[in-house]
């Protein structure tokens, strides 16, 4: 085992510059799933993966998902599925990642062009998607290439599933996974699932993640005038949608993040003694939080409450207002229609449909209290479930051993505040254990401006993904 891994690790180091080039090419494709105009780029990114995987000798298929629900003439990007190795004696791992990214523009405050990978003197590789999730997806391709070129056999079969709509609710993927997990389907033979699409808690110590929050994303639309108005001519004589919206949004959550919608917090599973005891051992400090926030504006002053707020309690975030004036300068407009966007991160035992009903009722009741003549409507844009798994499984043991081999430390077992909507679907449809094995660190600024992936995380992370495959095989031999 060890000599083989050494050969693999050396090859990763040798190929490291070409791995950075691979990431550069991927970041250069602005595959923003939330922007309909960027859909051709999302498709281009899928084609890039298909061609890279083919060049590595994988059997690849680009599977169409049809039209995007609720959109005319807009096709969902394809799911890229690939198979590498097909030996009946080996275990089969199903690897999932996403090739779409969050929106990004220089005007948001990026220091560099978000779609040009820019590497600084400390090896920080800036670019949209570098850490979420192009770096980790390419980590799997890098691992295959380094094995091939080092002449080291991959001791497991690999199935891959890379999607292009994760940042937009994974539209269409649940049905696809359920179909492909059935007998005769592409995922039928999977023995376990591994997802690399989240982050270490700090910057030094890797973690294995066994839980995610869900995400219900809403829009609330308020309209009144038939068109935008001059605030000097009509201000004071027309009821303003923006004023109503700001007041409704202001009722959703308080300054300390406590959700104000009756019934939401009541659905949360109580903390058990056993769960409480897990937090003390986790390597995390308030300074880790402040480093990630870039400020000391945290709600809590201790690690337990901070981690619980991130992982095991719900949160409500207000994201933006469509239709509102947001540019520089001082435009004196009364917007005719404004759409507020907010989401709730959900946790055990919250039921998604019940959350929706409580949200819609509350938003409408709060609007009614304003006595406005404007009109309101609220909608769910997308929903994805929370997930909590058992880390007592060979999948986690193998990943833990790989972390020790590559980084020389035992990983923390963590939950994650973000959402990967299809995780639960993979678990239910395949009936197999799912592991989250992150590559990036807490300072990567996923979804934010200046997203980056440290070169060390990318290269050592590629070693980690490859080593994990060997320990999965070794755990099999023990059984
Ligand atoms: C954790 C993962 N890398 C991620 O960023 N997921 C997104 C997915 C999403 C988008 N809308 C709802 N869920 C996230 O957690 O925001
Ligand atoms: Zn992601
Ligand atoms: Zn993301």
């Amino acid at each position: 085992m060890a000599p083989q891994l050494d050969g693999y690790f050396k090859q990763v180091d040798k190929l490291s510059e070409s791995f950075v080039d691979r990431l550069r090419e991927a970041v250069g494709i602005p595959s923003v799933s939330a922007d309909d105009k960027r859909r051709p780029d999302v498709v281009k990114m899928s084609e890039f993966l298909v061609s890279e995987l083919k060049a590595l000798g994988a059997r690849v298929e680009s599977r169409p998902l049809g039209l995007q629900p609720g959109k005319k003439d807009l096709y969902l990007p394809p799911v890229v599925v690939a198979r590498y190795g097909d030996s009946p004696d080996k275990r089969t791992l199903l690897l999932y990642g996403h090739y779409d990214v969050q929106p990004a523009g220089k005007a948001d405050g990026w220091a560099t062009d978000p779609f040009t990978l820019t590497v600084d003197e400390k090896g920080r590789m800036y670019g949209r998607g570098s850490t979420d999730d192009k770096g980790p997806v390419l980590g799997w391709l890098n691992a295959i290439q380094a094995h091939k070129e080092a002449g080291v056999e991959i001791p497991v079969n690999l199935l891959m599933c890379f999607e292009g709509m994760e940042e937009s609710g994974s539209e269409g993927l649940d049905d696809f996974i359920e179909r492909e997990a059935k007998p005769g389907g592409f995922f039928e033979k999977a023995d376990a699932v591994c997802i690399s699409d989240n982050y270490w808690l700090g910057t030094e110590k890797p973690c294995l993640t066994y839980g995610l929050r869900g995400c219900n994303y809403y829009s609330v639309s308020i309209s009144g005038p038939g068109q935008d108005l001059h605030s000097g001519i009509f201000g004071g004589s027309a009821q303003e949608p923006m004023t109503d919206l700001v007041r409704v949004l202001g009722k959703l959550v308080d300054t300390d993040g406590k959700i104000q919608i009756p019934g939401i917090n009541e659905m949360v599973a109580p903390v058990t003694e056993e769960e409480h005891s897990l937090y003390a051992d986790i390597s995390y400090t308030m300074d880790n939080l402040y480093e990630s926030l870039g400020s000391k504006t945290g709600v809590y002053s201790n690690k337990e409450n901070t981690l619980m707020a991130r992982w095991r309690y719900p949160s409500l975030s207000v994201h933006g207002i469509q239709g509102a004036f947001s540019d520089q300068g001082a435009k004196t407009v009364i917007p005719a229609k404004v759409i507020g966007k907010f989401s709730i991160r959900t946790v055990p035992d919250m039921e998604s449909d019940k959350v929706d009903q409580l949200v819609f009722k509350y938003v409408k009741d709060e609007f009614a209290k304003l006595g406005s003549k404007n009109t309101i409507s609220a909608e769910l844009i997308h929903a994805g479930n929370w997930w909590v798994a058992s880390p007592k499984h060979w999948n986690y043991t193998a990943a833990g051993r790989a972390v020790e081999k590559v980084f020389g430390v035992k990983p923390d077992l963590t939950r994650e505040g973000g959402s990967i909507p299809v995780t639960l679907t993979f678990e239910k449809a395949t009936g197999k254990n799912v592991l989250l094995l992150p590559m990036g660190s807490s300072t990567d600024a996923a979804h934010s401006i200046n997203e980056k992936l440290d070169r060390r995380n990318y290269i050592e992370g590629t070693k980690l993904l490859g080593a994990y495959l060997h320990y999965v095989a070794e755990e099999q031999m023990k059984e």
Side-chain angles (χ1 to χ4, degrees):
M1 169 67 58
Q4 274 189 316
L5 272 181
D6 287 345
Y8 165 68
F9 291 163
K10 278 197 187 112
Q11 196 63 35
V12 171
D13 286 329
K14 247 193 230 163
L15 291 169
S16 60
E17 212 42 56
S18 68
F19 293 162
V20 173
D21 288 341
R22 180 175 272 146
L23 183 60
R24 181 171 291 112
E25 210 174 325
V27 166
I29 305 171
S31 50
V32 180
S33 54
D35 183 349
D36 298 357
K37 292 189 294 301
R38 293 281 201 194
R39 193 55 54 89
D41 287 310
V42 186
V43 174
K44 190 172 165 197
M45 184 61 207
S46 76
E47 290 162 355
F48 170 73
L49 284 177
V50 168
S51 115
E52 292 288 292
L53 282 160
K54 274 192 181 153
L56 292 171
R59 281 181 286 155
V60 197
E61 291 172 42
S62 183
R63 298 282 193 88
L65 286 179
L67 281 169
Q68 181 165 336
K71 303 266 179 174
K72 254 197 238 152
D73 304 331
L74 184 70
Y75 281 86
L76 289 165
V79 184
V80 175
V81 289
R83 194 188 296 277
Y84 192 85
D86 199 5
S87 162
D89 309 327
K90 293 179 179 173
R91 264 184 177 148
T92 300
L93 286 176
L94 170 53
L95 315 174
Y96 160 87
H98 64 93
Y99 62 81
D100 63 320
V101 297
Q102 286 278 319
K106 190 89 177 29
D108 300 336
W110 281 71
T112 56
D113 172 26
F115 298 107
T116 303
L117 191 79
T118 309
V119 188
D120 75 5
E121 68 295 341
K122 290 190 170 156
R124 293 178 292 206
M125 306 189 291
Y126 292 95
R128 176 56 91 221
S130 53
T131 194
D132 183 14
D133 185 32
K134 290 180 175 178
V137 164
L138 298 184
W140 293 116
L141 276 62
N142 298 344
I144 294 174
Q145 185 181 352
H147 274 92
K148 270 185 86 158
E149 295 191 19
V152 176
E153 185 186 340
I154 296 185
V156 292
N157 303 314
L158 301 178
L159 297 174
M160 286 159 264
C161 173
F162 299 137
E163 71 150 318
M165 281 298 282
E166 196 269 351
E167 300 291 10
S168 299
S170 289
E171 295 269 16
L173 200 66
D174 281 341
D175 291 348
F176 180 84
I177 295 168
E178 277 156 19
R179 253 192 335 269
E180 296 302 331
K182 290 202 172 115
F186 204 88
F187 307 145
E188 181 195 8
K189 298 263 163 62
D191 292 307
V193 182
C194 181
I195 297 176
S196 185
D197 180 22
N198 64 309
Y199 319 97
W200 299 358
L201 259 185
T203 53
E204 291 307 316
K205 194 174 179 195
C207 58
L208 311 181
T209 305
Y210 63 94
L212 289 162
R213 294 196 288 186
C215 184
N216 286 23
Y217 201 113
Y218 301 98
S219 69
V220 49
S221 171
I222 300 188
S223 53
Q227 65 205 45
D228 288 0
L229 301 171
H230 187 304
S231 69
I233 301 174
F234 298 105
S237 69
Q239 293 198 325
E240 301 194 15
M242 185 71 170
T243 311
D244 292 346
L245 181 65
V246 169
R247 296 180 74 191
V248 170
L249 293 178
K251 293 280 183 187
L252 296 172
V253 66
D254 76 10
T255 305
D256 284 337
K258 188 158 179 0
I259 298 174
Q260 303 296 297
I261 304 168
I264 296 280
N265 296 312
E266 289 75 357
M267 274 191 265
V268 177
V271 183
T272 62
E273 285 285 311
E274 193 198 348
E275 185 190 347
H276 206 275
S277 68
L278 298 175
Y279 286 84
D281 289 340
I282 292 173
S283 320
Y284 189 74
T285 64
M286 292 309 290
D287 284 335
N288 289 134
L289 177 76
Y290 301 148
E291 192 181 5
S292 309
L293 297 184
S295 71
K296 291 198 169 183
T297 54
V299 171
Y300 300 100
S301 55
N302 68 60
K303 124 177 151 179
E304 277 81 3
N305 288 348
T306 299
L307 290 178
M308 284 197 191
R310 287 173 58 174
W311 296 350
R312 64 101 55 226
Y313 284 113
S315 61
L316 188 154
S317 303
V318 178
H319 304 294
I321 298 178
Q322 190 180 327
F325 169 59
S326 66
D327 284 340
Q328 287 179 17
K331 188 178 176 187
T332 49
V333 70
I334 298 172
K337 179 179 178 181
V338 277
I339 306 173
K341 311 273 176 82
F342 66 94
S343 70
I344 297 182
R345 297 288 171 168
T346 58
V347 297
D349 292 321
M350 293 168 74
E351 290 168 39
S352 182
D353 293 348
K354 210 166 151 194
V355 172
D356 296 345
Q357 295 322 311
L358 293 171
V359 167
F360 296 147
K361 180 176 183 319
Y362 182 74
V363 161
K364 285 185 183 150
D365 287 352
E366 288 305 310
F367 178 72
K369 285 184 197 164
L370 303 179
S372 171
K373 291 180 183 144
N374 290 323
T375 313
I376 191 167
S377 67
E379 262 181 55
L380 174 77
I381 300 184
H382 60 245
N385 270 315
W386 49 263
W387 161 82
V388 184
S390 166
K392 291 180 182 141
H393 188 274
W394 55 257
N395 203 16
Y396 283 78
T397 312
R401 292 180 66 198
V403 168
E404 282 197 74
K405 175 77 183 165
V406 176
F407 293 93
V409 283
K410 272 194 196 309
D412 277 325
L413 281 174
T414 63
R415 280 163 70 169
E416 160 77 48
S419 315
I420 304 172
V422 294
T423 310
L424 184 67
T425 316
F426 274 118
E427 185 181 274
K428 282 190 170 161
T430 63
K432 305 295 177 184
N433 180 268
V434 184
L435 155 78
L436 261 61
L437 182 55
M439 175 183 268
S441 84
S442 62
T443 54
D444 285 355
H447 291 207
S448 178
I449 57 166
N450 304 325
E451 175 181 348
K452 59 99 176 148
L453 175 63
D454 292 340
R455 190 189 163 103
R456 169 176 182 251
N457 284 62
Y458 183 49
I459 301 304
E460 300 306 300
T462 292
K463 290 180 190 168
L464 171 66
L465 299 182
Y468 157 70
L469 308 179
H470 288 261
Y471 288 111
V472 164
E474 218 179 75
E475 287 299 313
Q476 181 182 19
M477 287 186 303
K478 282 188 193 165
E479 282 181 357

